[in-house]
Amino acid sequence: MELIRSGTNIDFVGKRRWAYMISSLMILATIGLFIWRGGPNYGVDFAGGTVIQFELAKKQAVAEIREALRNSRIEGTHIQEFEEGGEAEYLIRIGKGSDVAGVGEKVQEALDAMFGQGAVEIRRVESVGPQVSEDLREKALFAIFYSILFMAVYISGRFEMKWMMSVIMALSLCAVTYAALRLGVSVSWLIIIALLVTLILCWLLNLKYALGAIIALIHDVAVTLGAFALTDREFSLTTIAALLTIVGYSLNDTIIIYDRIRENLRRNRRRNLAKLINNSVNQTLSRTLITSGTTLMVVVALFIFGGNVIHDFAFALVVGFVVGTYSTVYVASPILLLFERKKPSSKAVE
């Protein structure tokens, strides 16, 4: 099945400078949003504290619920109202500085005193201590980092048959990571340093496919996090699962186009690289649109009808799949032109 007629020649590579500008602005906006908001809006998984979900027999104003909790000396709360199955439900988040011992019973008593016995039904109570939340936050960051690193190693060996170079890159990163840990560098800075070292090694070792894939994956994760910061959504373990899914999906899309580029290079090595990349993208465009379109329909359905529990997860997938398709065409593929310009004998490609 083809949505795009054979012979289509859309000039994607020619628009790469505009794409780089748009991508740079999105990433800068993400950084600006995190600075303005003082970092990600961590959920209870990463920030610690308690989450209580309950249903009221009759819909009440959030201000009245907050007043009831204040009267019972339950401080540091954030209350969110949502509908689940047509019923009025509420979510209370209590900060990690509060005493979590018996907090579920305290909330139950406070709401019963305000709205009457039997008016409140506690659905769930989840508590995470500060040490556990910090450990989860570090492991989540490492999960994203290692997934990107292992994929870079795989692509280097799979597409360029440079397994030894991939091993050298992996060992170098292990050495950098170990040295940074010994120096007491925080996990966030450790991962930033490791990613920068990865990009430099890919450039120096001439691992062009790996470099394009890594930049595209970092781009997709950054833009998705920016969408979360813009909409003030919580960053939780569910978000990590969505980001890892986006990384896998985006890489799969990139591999398809890289495979076609490699095939076309074998057939005609003397052809202008920019035109060859452009033709390869056009040749796989129908497959890309079909795969992305059908997948996007599923996640949009999850976002609309999935309910509050998976709402943030579905939102991340919607943003990530759209951005991942864009980055495969406009970010990962044109990166190969940078290596063509590294060759002394290569002509400038416009």
Side-chain angles (χ1 to χ4, degrees):
M1 179 180 178
E2 288 189 352
L3 293 179
I4 308 298
R5 290 183 300 178
S6 58
T8 300
N9 188 26
I10 303 172
D11 188 16
F12 293 108
V13 175
K15 305 295 189 299
R16 65 186 183 278
R17 291 183 177 87
W18 284 102
Y20 290 160
M21 187 182 301
I22 293 170
S23 296
S24 299
L25 288 174
M26 288 192 292
I27 292 175
L28 288 174
T30 297
I31 296 172
L33 282 169
F34 280 132
I35 294 174
W36 179 46
R37 295 184 180 276
N41 179 20
Y42 288 122
V44 66
D45 297 331
F46 297 144
T50 304
V51 172
I52 302 172
Q53 181 180 343
F54 63 92
E55 178 187 344
L56 290 175
K58 184 180 178 182
K59 188 174 181 179
Q60 304 291 342
V62 171
E64 293 184 9
I65 297 174
R66 184 173 289 109
E67 183 64 26
L69 298 177
R70 188 180 296 114
N71 292 338
S72 297
R73 297 182 180 179
I74 301 175
E75 302 294 340
T77 61
H78 174 74
I79 304 171
Q80 178 184 354
E81 178 185 355
F82 63 94
E83 289 192 7
E84 187 76 23
E87 301 293 336
E89 297 204 5
Y90 301 84
L91 208 62
I92 299 176
R93 294 175 178 84
I94 303 175
K96 60 183 178 182
S98 303
D99 183 13
V100 299
V103 68
E105 290 78 4
K106 292 179 181 178
V107 170
Q108 177 85 56
E109 293 172 0
L111 296 177
D112 283 342
M114 174 67 78
F115 305 115
Q117 292 289 333
V120 181
E121 179 184 350
I122 302 293
R123 293 293 186 90
R124 66 184 174 103
V125 179
E126 297 177 4
S127 296
V128 178
Q131 186 61 44
V132 174
S133 63
E134 183 180 353
D135 187 51
L136 287 174
R137 191 165 59 245
E138 292 181 359
K139 289 181 177 178
L141 290 172
F142 276 121
I144 297 174
F145 167 67
Y146 283 123
S147 66
I148 294 176
L149 172 61
F150 291 144
M151 287 177 181
V153 172
Y154 167 75
I155 288 177
S156 301
R158 169 72 171 78
F159 283 90
E160 302 174 277
M161 300 307 294
K162 295 181 179 178
W163 290 106
M164 184 57 66
M165 295 293 187
S166 301
V167 171
I168 291 173
M169 180 177 68
L171 291 176
S172 300
L173 279 171
C174 288
V176 170
T177 303
Y178 176 77
L181 285 173
R182 295 284 293 180
L183 293 172
V185 177
S186 66
V187 175
S188 299
W189 279 107
L190 170 65
I191 291 174
I192 291 173
I193 293 170
L195 285 175
L196 289 175
V197 171
T198 303
L199 295 176
I200 293 171
L201 288 173
C202 285
W203 178 258
L204 295 177
L205 298 175
N206 207 39
L207 301 175
K208 52 183 178 294
Y209 292 105
L211 180 65
I214 291 174
I215 292 176
L217 294 178
I218 294 173
H219 170 275
D220 298 343
V221 171
V223 174
T224 304
L225 291 178
F228 265 67
L230 181 64
T231 55
D232 199 27
R233 295 177 183 271
E234 283 193 350
F235 191 69
S236 62
L237 286 174
T238 304
T239 310
I240 295 298
L243 291 176
L244 292 175
T245 304
I246 291 165
V247 166
Y249 176 86
S250 178
L251 182 68
N252 178 67
D253 226 16
T254 301
I255 285 176
I256 297 297
I257 292 182
Y258 274 180
D259 206 35
R260 183 57 59 90
I261 292 173
R262 188 180 60 168
E263 288 177 6
N264 290 336
L265 276 172
R266 288 174 177 173
R267 294 172 186 169
N268 193 349
R269 291 185 177 273
R270 296 185 178 181
R271 189 172 183 180
N272 181 279
L273 182 59
K275 292 182 179 179
L276 187 144
I277 293 173
N278 212 52
N279 286 345
S280 300
V281 173
N282 279 280
Q283 289 167 10
T284 57
L285 188 58
S286 181
R287 179 262 175 205
T288 299
L289 290 178
I290 291 172
T291 303
S292 301
T294 52
T295 308
L296 194 59
M297 285 191 289
V298 174
V299 295
V300 167
L302 282 175
F303 178 71
I304 297 173
F305 305 110
N308 184 75
V309 176
I310 62 171
H311 198 260
D312 288 350
F313 177 81
F315 175 80
L317 293 184
V318 170
V319 175
F321 287 174
V322 172
V323 174
T325 303
Y326 157 84
S327 69
T328 296
V329 175
Y330 284 109
V331 177
S333 300
I335 289 294
L336 302 180
L337 293 174
L338 299 178
F339 287 86
E340 186 69 8
R341 295 185 176 190
K342 281 181 67 178
K343 300 177 182 178
S345 60
S346 64
K347 295 180 181 180
V349 180
E350 296 296 337

